[in-house]
Each structure stands twice: as structure tokens, then as C-alpha cells.
Amino acid sequence: MNINSRVLVIGDIILDQYINGHYIKRVDDEGNNIFSKKEIIYNAGGAGNVACNIAQSEIPTTLVGVLGTDIDSKRCYSILTHNSVDPSMLMIDCDWSIPIISRYIDQHKQIFRSDREFNTRIKKSTEFAIIDSLKKNICNFNSILIVDYQKGLLSTELIKEVMKLAIQNKKRIIIDTKSKYLFPFTGSYLIKMNHKELQTATGIICNSSCNIQKAAFRMIEQFQCHYFLTTWGKNGIILSSNCEFSIYIENQTGNPPICTIGAGDTVTAYLLIGIENNLTIEQCMILASAAAETAISRPMTTVLHYPLPDIQLLKKNIHCRYMNKDGGIQHGQNCTWNQYWA
């Protein structure tokens, strides 16, 4: 591990609630379906899940976000600190209610989902407090990871301030966003979306590796980032570079996933873990893919608790394909990441 590495995660903190039980169709007198609850399990979601995974790799990780004073916020705070996330830059707002995603599960299958969201955006006073805290502390971190789940924390004004401070302090900026409005993220080191979000943002049908690469290159040019990472569901992940090549890691297991919830968060976390450990691009992609494979083999949002595995051993079971700008195959090269703000 790079002993000088420190990561700052900024984003929407969500509480994932898994209600395990048994679902029975139309059994009461009125013909209604019944879900018989057995147990409830809580995990940190959104930026909280990403921060927990990074922290569990022994990289010091600080989380910036908002929690309330309600029991669910306190529960999430406990989960974060249990997973070694530094909470010193969290904002506590008595008027804020943490977003909760409740999933009703029967034998590892989601029957239905309900969401609780009361917030439209954070208060201006909270936004100013976050900016003030960032000004005082941003110099202490190597990388800034922005996780935008569109849950009210990251206003356009706050994103612009974070980006300005990160660029001024020459920090690596990585973006994981659900928004199709990416102009505030212009100049980032890496932007990550799934293929459906990329298709919406570009209008290019992302149904093949060539089309995904084409759309990613358009985003790189438009938003002046070094890299664009696309998660492509069961097909794998594709990283495109401003040097006009892409690396495509194909899903090799063929095993049906038990649960894909949070798998994208796992990819983001482990790609950054690889970068912070000075791994090459190919090694980072292999690590992120292997971590995601582990995550989807488990029944809920997953925090992985293991040290960096042997990359060469993982590589034997993962197909890594390099593509040139036209989508053709080119010989693999164990490339290093671009130096940021060189």
C-alpha cells in the first residue's frame, strides 16, 4: 500500500435496508399479497458504500456528506465508523433525513423495493460549511472521489466549488455520477457511468463495445477528462483513454449474479484502490472486475474485507482486451496512468 495515500469521498449517503422474509401471493381474505418479515439488515449505500470499501483496503478514507439526527442516520453513522471510515468531515443537520432504500427479499430475490426521500437539496448554510471544511482540509488528500446519486447533496454550486478547489490543489478527481448533466465535472481525471446512463448522455446506442467506446471518446473530448469508465452489466467494464485506446475486461464466470446492488460502487472503489496502490491501468481494471464479481455473488450491498490479491493470479481468469480508436484489437500494453496536472 502507498503509505502516503489518503482519499476523500464526497457524495450522497444512503441507508440500504434489506427486509428478509417470505412472500405469499393473494392469501388473505381480500386477496392481497403478504410479505412475512423475518429480519432486517442495514448497510451503508451510495457514497457510504464506496467509502467503506476503500477504507477496508487500509487506505485512510474520509467521507463528506450529510446525516440527520434521526435513528436511521445514527445507524448509518455507526456502520461507517465500524468500517473505519473517518467521519470528521460529515455534516449533521437536524432537518435532514437520510434517504432509505428498502428492499424486500425472499430467498435472495428482490420482490419489491420502496424508497424514502424527503430532501430536495441541502441547506445553504450546510453547503457553505462543507466548502469551508474542504478549503481547510483538501490539501491532505491524494484523490477526491465525487459520488453523485442525485439525492440532494451535490448542487451545481457545490460541485463547482469542489472542482475548483481540487484543481487549484492539483488533486486527482474521480466522478461516479447518475446525472446526465456533466458540465460541472469538466476537467476531471476519470468519469464513470453505466452503459445506459452513457447512452442517455450521448444519444449513441451502447449495445456493443465499439459503440460504448465511441460514446466514451465523445465524453472524453467534450468534458476534457483523462479517462471514461463504463460498466456494461453482465458483459464487463470498459475503460477508455484520451490517448485513444480502451481496455475491455469481459465477464468470464458466466455465473448468474445473486445480487447486483452496489456492484458499480465496488468497481469505483477498487479502481481507486488500485490507483492509490500504484498499479498499472490493466492491473486496476482486473482488480475492479474481480471485486465486482465477488460483490455480485453475495446477497446484498457488499463491503469486501480482504487485502490486495495477487493480480497475476486474477489475470489468469480474466480476459483483458485492448481496442484502438476504431474498435480493432491491438496488442496489450501494461500502461501506467497519466500523471495528473503534470
Side-chain angles (χ1 to χ4, degrees):
M1 185 185 75
N2 180 358
I3 60 173
N4 298 315
S5 179
R6 289 192 68 192
V7 170
L8 183 68
V9 179
I10 305 173
D12 298 296
I13 304 170
I14 301 167
L15 183 64
D16 285 340
Q17 179 178 241
Y18 296 88
I19 301 102
N20 290 316
H22 185 50
Y23 180 61
I24 307 170
K25 294 185 178 181
R26 295 181 295 278
V27 296
D28 70 2
D29 293 339
E30 298 178 356
N32 295 315
N33 300 334
I34 292 178
F35 186 91
S36 178
K37 180 173 64 177
K38 292 182 179 178
E39 65 172 347
I40 302 177
I41 298 173
Y42 297 95
N43 284 322
N49 183 33
V50 177
C52 286
N53 272 285
I54 298 172
Q56 282 298 307
S57 75
E58 301 182 353
I59 294 176
T61 305
T62 301
L63 178 59
V64 174
V66 180
L67 293 175
T69 55
D70 56 291
I71 185 64
D72 292 311
S73 289
K74 293 176 181 177
R75 183 176 281 123
C76 191
Y77 183 93
S78 177
I79 294 168
L80 294 169
T81 54
H82 175 75
N83 283 285
S84 304
V85 175
D86 173 16
S88 62
M89 293 178 68
L90 288 174
M91 299 293 158
I92 307 300
D93 182 348
C94 61
D95 296 323
W96 184 267
S97 294
I98 187 171
I100 299 177
I101 297 178
S102 301
R103 296 178 173 90
Y104 292 77
I105 310 294
D106 184 359
Q107 297 181 347
H108 302 318
K109 293 182 179 179
Q110 180 173 305
I111 306 303
F112 57 93
R113 162 181 161 173
S114 66
D115 295 2
R116 189 196 77 174
E117 296 179 27
F118 296 121
N119 316 291
T120 53
R121 60 170 293 172
I122 60 172
K123 294 186 294 191
K124 275 294 180 182
S125 58
T126 305
E127 187 175 295
F128 292 149
I130 290 174
I131 293 170
D132 185 58
S133 179
L134 286 171
K135 288 178 179 178
K136 294 175 181 177
N137 296 290
I138 198 168
C139 61
N140 297 323
F141 301 95
N142 291 37
S143 298
I144 312 298
L145 173 55
I146 300 176
V147 182
D148 183 11
Y149 265 75
Q150 302 278 284
K151 300 296 184 183
L153 175 74
L154 292 163
S155 64
T156 301
E157 294 81 5
L158 180 56
I159 292 171
K160 287 179 179 178
E161 285 296 324
V162 173
M163 292 293 295
K164 182 173 75 173
L165 287 169
I167 290 170
Q168 286 175 348
N169 287 274
K170 299 184 178 181
K171 303 300 179 182
R172 183 189 291 116
I173 312 165
I174 295 176
I175 309 297
D176 186 350
T177 181
K178 302 295 183 185
S179 174
K180 62 180 180 181
Y181 180 61
L182 298 183
F183 283 102
F185 300 120
T186 297
S188 300
Y189 185 69
L190 183 149
I191 298 175
K192 176 226 163 197
M193 301 178 103
N194 66 42
H195 71 290
K196 293 180 181 178
E197 294 159 350
L198 178 59
Q199 180 172 300
T200 300
T202 62
I204 296 174
I205 304 300
C206 294
N207 58 357
S208 68
S209 58
C210 290
N211 281 1
I212 288 173
Q213 179 178 242
K214 179 181 177 181
F217 282 147
R218 178 180 295 182
M219 299 294 272
I220 288 171
E221 181 178 3
Q222 186 172 2
F223 300 109
Q224 301 170 32
C225 56
H226 288 246
Y227 301 96
F228 195 95
L229 177 67
T230 309
T231 55
W232 191 16
K234 64 182 181 180
N235 296 299
I237 55 178
I238 299 175
L239 181 77
S240 301
S241 165
N242 61 359
C243 297
E244 298 187 340
F245 73 90
S246 295
I247 301 177
Y248 175 22
I249 303 290
E250 295 182 69
N251 183 350
Q252 293 292 297
T253 66
N255 297 325
I258 292 176
C259 175
T260 60
I261 299 165
D265 295 338
T266 305
V267 169
T268 303
Y270 273 83
L271 190 80
L272 182 53
I273 289 167
I275 293 172
E276 292 296 319
N277 279 278
N278 299 318
L279 301 185
T280 66
I281 295 177
E282 180 181 290
Q283 290 170 337
C284 288
M285 290 286 284
I286 290 170
L287 177 63
S289 177
E293 286 289 317
T294 301
I296 64 175
S297 69
R298 299 180 181 180
M300 61 188 70
T301 310
T302 298
V303 177
L304 303 182
H305 299 267
Y306 59 71
L308 285 179
D310 186 331
I311 301 297
Q312 292 305 315
L313 184 62
L314 291 178
K315 189 175 180 180
K316 293 179 180 178
N317 300 314
I318 293 177
H319 184 207
C320 181
R321 179 154 60 96
Y322 282 77
M323 301 186 296
N324 59 31
K325 186 178 180 180
D326 298 321
I329 307 300
Q330 66 180 45
H331 294 295
Q333 44 188 321
N334 218 8
C335 303
T336 56
W337 295 92
N338 293 345
Q339 181 65 40
Y340 200 40
W341 309 119

